[in-house]
Amino acid sequence: MPDHAPDPLRRNERSRQAILDASIALIGELGYDKVSIEAIARRAGVGKQTIYRWWSSKGAVVLEAATHSLDPVVSFPDTGDFAADLRTQLRGILKLIANTGFGSAYRGLIAAGQSDPELLSALFDQIIEPNVQAFGRRAALAQERGELRDDADVQALRDVVYGFVEYRLIHAMPIKPRHIDALLKIAFDGVR
Amino acid sequence: MPDHAPDPLRRNERSRQAILDASIALIGELGYDKVSIEAIARRAGVGKQTIYRWWSSKGAVVLEAATHSLDPVVSFPDTGDFAADLRTQLRGILKLIANTGFGSAYRGLIAAGQSDPELLSALFDQIIEPNVQAFGRRAALAQERGELRDDADVQALRDVVYGFVEYRLIHAMPIKPRHIDALLKIAFDGVR
């Protein structure tokens, strides 16, 4: 009965999803440092070798888990108001941090990356660079339409925005919607 | 001859300075992770026990070394132009990062602090909180004199400024004077 034959691709996708979910959940409970590949495999209901077949290290699987959990919230809406659309995206990231292990996973990756340049560079390529591109496209539209000044330094603006959020995350300071509002007021209206 | 009797306080101060200098220099050469208390003691010309007598851990001695090396550049001048004074302070920090092991030491402390809440909290108390106070005092003067809007959120402005610098440092992105200029233009004039 070919209709009921196991589909190795589908099975792999189900295992992959279980491994990524288990990584974020466990790190949320225990912190990055206390979670092992063995514990992730156990929670995901797969063998340790299944993880090592697809990822070279704990950093690699957690990076994919973090990237995957960011996916649904990281894109920019386009309502014709760049500041409002940024606020929407940032509030999505705040909710992800508040409700899942994403923030702990990201902090663990940043920490591990300080003595592992390959991991830091993979984090840049998989999380930061796609955001640089998406932010740049949304900002270019905003500049065409006058939502953003023509001469605004778009890449510096991006670093201001995510630098603020990452700084508060890394230093274990609370990040609430009012902090995002204060950030965007400064970045869009200036303090002078 | 009491004039030539050894002064234990002075000798301690000389050893302390040698230990702090050795910490920053070695971390600049090898990176935070590869530097041990033993190596710091050897470079400083003191016994390992001298370090353990004064500091409880490698994190503690490196934190004091980082704080001490920031001291000469972290205060704010007051020329009557807050943005220019911030630029001066930030350029001093950039030079410290470019010319010493301070940036590597700070990155190592941030990394270690992600799995050591006591160290992260000590870093906050010894480096961030004094800056919050000094920035707040300079900003209050700036608001009295109209260098800064009355309704500016001073603490959010501080997080914007140092968040930007720390973000680029942590992600191994270059930090040049033109990046500081772009940051201050956004923060003071806004992008809208």
Side-chain angles (χ1 to χ4, degrees), chain A residues 33-34 81 83 106-108 110-115 120 123-124 128 146-153 155-160 162-164 166-173 178-179 182-192, chain B residues 33-34 81 83 106-108 110-115 120 123-124 128 146-153 155-160 162-164 166-173 178-179 182-192:
Chain A
D33 269 42
K34 296 207 173 64
D81 178 342
Y106 191 79
R107 292 174 66 179
I110 290 280
Q114 299 311 305
S115 53
L120 194 68
L123 185 151
F124 196 93
I128 296 183
E147 304 159 37
L148 186 62
R149 268 168 36 184
D150 272 348
D151 66 348
D153 184 329
Q155 293 317 324
L157 175 63
R158 206 206 67 89
D159 292 346
V160 160
Y162 299 101
F164 176 95
E166 191 168 307
Y167 184 78
R168 294 192 64 94
L169 178 67
I170 289 288
H171 289 289
M173 297 156 86
R178 69 184 165 85
H179 297 114
L183 158 69
L184 293 173
K185 184 161 175 45
I186 290 171
F188 279 79
D189 297 333
V191 294
R192 184 152 52 195
Chain B
D33 269 43
K34 296 206 173 64
D81 178 342
Y106 191 77
R107 291 175 67 179
I110 291 280
Q114 299 311 305
S115 53
L120 193 69
L123 185 152
F124 196 94
I128 296 183
E147 304 158 39
L148 186 63
R149 269 168 35 186
D150 272 348
D151 65 349
D153 184 329
Q155 293 318 323
L157 174 63
R158 205 205 68 88
D159 292 346
V160 160
Y162 299 101
F164 176 94
E166 191 168 307
Y167 184 78
R168 294 192 63 95
L169 178 67
I170 288 287
H171 289 288
M173 299 156 87
R178 67 185 165 86
H179 297 113
L183 159 69
L184 293 173
K185 184 159 174 44
I186 290 171
F188 279 79
D189 298 333
V191 293
R192 184 154 49 194

Side-chain angles (χ1 to χ4, degrees), chain B residues 78-114:
Chain B
D78 179 5
T79 65
D81 178 342
F82 187 38
D85 293 348
L86 258 177
R87 177 177 290 114
T88 302
Q89 193 242 27
L90 292 167
R91 286 192 177 199
I93 295 174
L94 256 51
K95 272 190 204 159
L96 191 68
I97 292 171
N99 299 332
T100 75
F102 170 78
S104 297
Y106 191 77
R107 291 175 67 179
L109 290 167
I110 291 280
Q114 299 311 305

Side-chain angles (χ1 to χ4, degrees), chain B:
Chain B
M1 307 277 278
D3 282 347
H4 294 90
D7 177 341
L9 279 176
R10 181 176 300 163
R11 195 177 49 212
N12 282 359
E13 182 50 33
R14 201 179 303 139
S15 297
R16 175 179 168 270
Q17 184 71 52
I19 291 162
L20 300 182
D21 290 348
S23 302
I24 295 292
L26 275 172
I27 289 173
E29 293 163 25
L30 305 172
Y32 182 93
D33 269 43
K34 296 206 173 64
V35 171
S36 63
I37 294 265
E38 287 76 359
I40 294 171
R42 212 176 310 125
R43 173 74 64 99
V46 303
K48 204 168 75 170
Q49 286 317 318
T50 303
I51 297 185
Y52 282 119
R53 199 181 313 135
W54 295 338
W55 294 279
S56 59
S57 66
K58 175 175 140 186
V61 62
V62 176
L63 176 57
E64 186 165 337
T67 308
H68 185 71
S69 74
L70 257 184
D71 266 353
V73 301
V74 82
S75 65
F76 296 98
D78 179 5
T79 65
D81 178 342
F82 187 38
D85 293 348
L86 258 177
R87 177 177 290 114
T88 302
Q89 193 242 27
L90 292 167
R91 286 192 177 199
I93 295 174
L94 256 51
K95 272 190 204 159
L96 191 68
I97 292 171
N99 299 332
T100 75
F102 170 78
S104 297
Y106 191 77
R107 291 175 67 179
L109 290 167
I110 291 280
Q114 299 311 305
S115 53
D116 180 348
E118 207 177 308
L119 179 61
L120 193 69
S121 160
L123 185 152
F124 196 94
D125 293 346
Q126 289 175 46
I127 292 188
I128 296 183
E129 185 57 28
N131 183 263
V132 168
Q133 299 302 325
F135 190 95
R137 284 190 299 271
R138 181 66 189 82
L141 276 178
Q143 283 179 316
E144 278 173 32
R145 299 173 187 154
E147 304 158 39
L148 186 63
R149 269 168 35 186
D150 272 348
D151 65 349
D153 184 329
V154 169
Q155 293 318 323
L157 174 63
R158 205 205 68 88
D159 292 346
V160 160
V161 168
Y162 299 101
F164 176 94
V165 174
E166 191 168 307
Y167 184 78
R168 294 192 63 95
L169 178 67
I170 288 287
H171 289 288
M173 299 156 87
I175 325 177
K176 303 287 179 195
R178 67 185 165 86
H179 297 113
I180 297 301
D181 293 346
L183 159 69
L184 293 173
K185 184 159 174 44
I186 290 171
F188 279 79
D189 298 333
V191 293
R192 184 154 49 194

